[in-house]
């Protein structure tokens, strides 16, 4: 039974004290690289399709790519998840057989987020599909001071969970999407994870959790890239969050960096190459290496 829903996977993760990585996919090489890592590390895995992925291709392609991974890896629990979904995308995902959806009402006024999420939970649960919701908005801590970003409020989280019935909650504790997360030193409000988990008992989700490895940034720049100095979320901070209630950790940017470094290297060192397989193969291997490392760091390796 390799195709599983999020609730099942996260309940086991919470029971055993680890987190499952949720890795964004846009193409075949990303799906294959992630599954290579899951096989090698004996880890459950969450494959997820973002809003940008839907624009780049579409949900039908993405579902079939993920389904191929499920069918080829019968002994690996795989969650097929919609990341940052709208209600329209959720409806399509339910029709296509996704086992988990995120409804992202985080930018709506609170009561509208509650109403939207509760509506989606009702539909999804009828189909045995899990729902991740979000409360608060992501961004750097400094933006919170400017009032542009809102950290998750624990009192509101208790009310939100009770009124929506969601299966997992994405919380804003100072992480943000992309490669440029912090202006200075990384600063996260980890106490919020502890408090929200203790009061809701729901598996929590961290978005914007790439660590932005300096060696990958250096490799990209060595081969002609021009990324400016940046810092991601330290792995130790993620591990502390896992200990306090985080069970799903979203990683997209680190995969993008790994792919770009691998492809740039081929272009720089073997400029005569023009067969896409010559650079997509090392890119796929770089995905597997990065994802395997995260599986071991999040503690999901060796669980199946
Ligand atoms: O949602 C999180 C993703 O990292 C953003 O990805 O650019 O594919 O929407 P996207
Ligand atoms: P990163 O940009 O830090 O990889 O976050 C990805 C994410 O949260 C996808 O939903
Ligand atoms: Zn996200």
């Amino acid at each position: 039974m390799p195709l599983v829903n999020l609730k099942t996977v996260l309940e086991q993760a919470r029971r055993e004290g680890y987190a499952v990585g949720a890795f964004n996919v846009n193409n075949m090489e990303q799906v294959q690289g992630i599954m290579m890592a899951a096989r090698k590390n004996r880890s459950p895995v969450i494959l997820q399709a973002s809003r940008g992925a839907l624009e780049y291709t579409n949900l039908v392609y993405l579902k079939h790519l993920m389904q191929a991974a499920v069918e080829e890896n019968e002994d690996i629990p795989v969650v097929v998840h919609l990341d940052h979904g709208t209600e329209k995308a959720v409806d399509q995902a339910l029709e296509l057989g996704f086992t988990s959806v995120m409804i992202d009402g985080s930018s709506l006024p609170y009561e509208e987020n509650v109403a939207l999420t509760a509506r989606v939970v009702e539909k999804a649960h009828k189909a045995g599909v899990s729902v991740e919701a979000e409360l608060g908005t992501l961004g750097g801590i400094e933006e919170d001071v400017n009032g542009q970003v809102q950290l998750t409020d624990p009192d509101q989280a208790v009310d939100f969970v009770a009124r929506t019935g969601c299966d997992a909650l994405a919380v804003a504790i100072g992480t943000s999407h992309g490669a440029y997360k912090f202006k200075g030193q990384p600063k996260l409000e980890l106490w919020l994870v502890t408090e929200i988990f203790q009061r809701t008992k729901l598996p929590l989700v961290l978005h914007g959790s790439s660590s932005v490895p300096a060696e990958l940034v250096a490799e990209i720049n060595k081969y002609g890239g021009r990324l400016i100095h940046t810092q991601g979320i330290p792995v130790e901070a993620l591990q502390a969050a896992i200990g306090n209630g985080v069970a799903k950790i979203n990683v997209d940017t680190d995969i993008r960096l790994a792919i770009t470094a691998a492809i740039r290297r081929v272009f720089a060192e073997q400029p005569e190459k023009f067969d896409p397989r010559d650079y997509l193969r090392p890119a796929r291997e770089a995905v597997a290496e990065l994802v395997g490392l995260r599986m071991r760091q999040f503690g999901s390796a060796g669980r199946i």
Side-chain angles (χ1 to χ4, degrees):
M1 214 244 323
L3 183 60
V4 288
N5 70 22
L6 188 69
K7 190 178 162 73
T8 310
V9 162
L10 297 193
E11 274 174 358
Q12 181 181 345
R14 276 314 310 152
R15 263 197 317 276
E16 297 179 16
Y18 63 90
V20 183
F23 303 102
N24 286 82
V25 297
N26 301 265
N27 60 36
M28 182 186 77
E29 286 75 13
Q30 288 177 316
V31 173
Q32 290 180 325
I34 294 163
M35 294 313 298
M36 281 158 65
R39 276 197 301 276
K40 193 166 169 195
N41 289 278
R42 306 303 305 160
S43 172
V45 68
I46 301 161
L47 299 175
Q48 59 182 15
S50 70
R51 236 171 247 195
L54 264 61
E55 278 163 28
Y56 178 66
T57 168
N58 63 52
L59 211 50
V60 176
Y61 265 98
L62 292 161
K63 172 63 184 15
H64 282 80
L65 282 172
M66 296 191 224
Q67 188 60 32
V70 171
E71 286 172 22
E72 242 201 1
N73 297 277
E74 288 196 340
D75 55 338
I76 312 267
V78 181
V79 179
V80 172
H81 178 76
L82 175 72
D83 190 24
H84 293 286
T86 58
E87 191 169 15
K88 187 166 167 242
V90 165
D91 289 343
Q92 198 190 358
L94 294 179
E95 261 173 47
L96 286 169
F98 278 60
T99 55
S100 175
V101 293
M102 175 189 186
I103 179 69
D104 186 351
S106 61
S107 60
L108 297 173
Y110 179 66
E111 287 298 331
E112 288 177 38
N113 189 4
V114 170
L116 172 66
T117 303
R119 198 161 63 235
V120 163
V121 166
E122 202 186 330
K123 287 191 258 198
H125 281 184
K126 276 191 194 133
V129 171
S130 311
V131 179
E132 172 187 338
E134 180 168 337
L135 193 58
T137 53
L138 297 203
I141 285 290
E142 50 286 297
E143 283 149 310
D144 183 48
V145 176
N146 299 337
Q148 287 163 350
V149 166
Q150 250 187 316
L151 300 181
T152 307
D153 175 69
D155 292 330
Q156 212 170 49
V158 172
D159 181 68
F160 186 85
V161 168
R163 289 171 65 196
T164 62
C166 63
D167 303 294
L169 184 68
V171 291
I173 63 160
T175 65
S176 59
H177 292 109
Y180 303 106
K181 298 186 189 297
F182 300 102
K183 293 192 184 102
Q185 282 306 304
K187 185 170 184 299
L188 297 178
E189 303 295 333
L190 282 169
W191 65 274
L192 271 176
V193 166
T194 312
E195 183 162 343
I196 296 168
F197 179 68
Q198 278 176 1
R199 292 178 59 190
T200 62
K201 299 287 179 230
L202 207 64
L204 302 182
V205 182
L206 276 191
H207 284 245
S209 296
S210 278
S211 295
V212 192
E215 56 284 10
L216 286 180
V217 173
E219 181 98 340
I220 289 171
N221 288 344
K222 176 175 163 193
Y223 295 114
R226 224 176 289 154
L227 299 185
I228 57 171
H229 175 73
T230 171
Q231 294 186 80
I233 311 297
V235 168
E236 303 70 41
L238 296 174
Q239 288 168 334
I242 294 168
N244 290 313
V246 165
K248 172 176 182 275
I249 299 185
N250 286 14
V251 175
D252 186 353
T253 297
D254 284 353
I255 295 177
R256 298 178 186 195
L257 293 170
I259 290 173
T260 301
I263 291 178
R264 278 194 175 277
R265 181 179 187 152
V266 174
F267 285 170
E269 290 183 346
Q270 303 174 78
E272 73 286 1
K273 298 283 190 196
F274 64 91
D275 182 337
R277 291 169 296 192
D278 288 331
Y279 50 86
L280 293 178
R281 188 175 283 112
R284 183 169 61 190
E285 279 157 15
V287 172
E289 196 179 320
L290 182 278
V291 169
L293 178 62
R294 293 291 176 266
M295 287 169 166
R296 295 188 294 281
Q297 291 167 330
F298 299 166
S300 68
R303 302 285 174 173
I304 51 172

